[in-house]
């Protein structure tokens, strides 16, 4: 996930206000990720990188990730209202989800290591998040994440060749009932 227009947002806040805003936001989003059995890989400024299915196998990882993404968007709406009451700018975010094989484990250098995920499927998830801006949607998922959510309806968005990819992939937006969003 990534907050939209974070640079502009941060220009209008003091360093203390920005830290408070981020701590509130990251805490709430992390709570939701954990609720759905996700693992927070890292915070990259205002972005959150998370994954499902490791360290413990989870055959429902695609469903858990999508439920988390939807609940994160609902929570972001609630935080928008809270932040507006404080006089802070409105907060919007995009989320990209992809499912597939990834390398998971302790990786890094002889000086510093981190438990993380790597691989083409990780990169595609990040690219999908970036594409949410272009398509004006909150969540984009790949064909594989869609296939892992047979009880969810999706709107086909496009077939794209994501940055760095040679083969085009179909991308979809989950259709969320009005009372859920």
């Amino acid at each position: 996930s990534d907050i939209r227009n974070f640079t502009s947002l941060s220009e209008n806040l003091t360093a203390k206000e920005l830290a408070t805003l981020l701590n509130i936001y990251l805490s709430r989003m992390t709570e939701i990720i954990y609720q759905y059995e996700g693992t927070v890989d890292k915070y990259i400024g205002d972005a959150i990188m998370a994954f499902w299915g490791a360290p413990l196998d989870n055959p429902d990882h695609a469903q858990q990730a999508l439920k988390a993404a939807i609940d994160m968007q609902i929570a972001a709406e609630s935080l928008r209202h809270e932040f507006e009451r404080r006089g802070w700018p409105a907060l919007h975010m995009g989320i990209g989800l992809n499912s597939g094989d990834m390398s998971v484990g302790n990786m890094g250098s002889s000086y510093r290591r981190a438990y993380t995920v790597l691989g083409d499927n990780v990169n595609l998830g990040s690219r999908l998040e970036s594409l949410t801006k272009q398509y004006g949607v909150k969540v984009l998922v790949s064909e594989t994440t869609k296939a892992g959510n047979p009880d969810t309806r999706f709107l086909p968005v496009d077939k794209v060749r994501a940055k760095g990819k040679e083969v085009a992939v179909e991308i979809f937006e989950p259709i969320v009932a009005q009372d859920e969003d």
Side-chain angles (χ1 to χ4, degrees), residues 165-178:
K165 301 283 288 174
E166 290 186 24
V167 177
V169 295
E170 286 190 72
I171 57 175
F172 303 87
E173 179 184 21
I175 298 173
V176 179
Q178 287 296 78

Side-chain angles (χ1 to χ4, degrees), residues 1-97:
S1 69
D2 192 38
I3 295 176
R4 297 285 158 257
N5 303 313
F6 185 72
T7 302
S8 298
L9 183 144
S10 64
E11 288 176 343
N12 297 313
L13 298 172
T14 67
K16 185 175 180 176
E17 287 174 321
L18 183 61
T20 301
L21 178 147
L22 270 180
N23 286 336
I24 292 168
Y25 166 77
L26 293 172
S27 293
R28 183 65 186 113
M29 298 303 133
T30 300
E31 178 184 324
I32 293 167
I33 291 166
Y34 287 169
Q35 176 186 342
Y36 289 103
E37 301 176 20
T39 299
V40 172
D41 183 311
K42 61 183 68 88
Y43 304 119
I44 310 160
D46 60 300
I48 303 171
M49 181 173 160
F51 56 90
W52 280 256
L56 300 176
D57 185 42
N58 180 350
D60 298 326
H61 60 86
Q63 293 169 20
Q64 296 289 79
L66 183 59
K67 287 176 184 175
I70 291 167
D71 279 2
M72 288 168 71
Q73 288 294 351
I74 293 167
E77 178 69 27
S78 175
L79 287 175
R80 257 191 299 285
H81 298 303
E82 177 183 335
F83 291 172
E84 287 171 2
R85 281 192 299 276
R86 293 178 181 229
W88 294 345
L91 179 136
H92 299 275
M93 70 169 165
I95 299 174
L97 297 175

Side-chain angles (χ1 to χ4, degrees), residues 77-124:
E77 178 69 27
S78 175
L79 287 175
R80 257 191 299 285
H81 298 303
E82 177 183 335
F83 291 172
E84 287 171 2
R85 281 192 299 276
R86 293 178 181 229
W88 294 345
L91 179 136
H92 299 275
M93 70 169 165
I95 299 174
L97 297 175
N98 184 44
S99 303
D101 291 336
M102 302 169 193
S103 293
V104 182
N106 289 317
M107 299 175 211
S109 69
S110 58
Y111 297 97
R112 185 169 188 266
R113 299 177 85 61
Y115 185 75
T116 190
V117 292
L118 297 173
D120 187 51
N121 284 311
V122 177
N123 298 339
L124 181 56

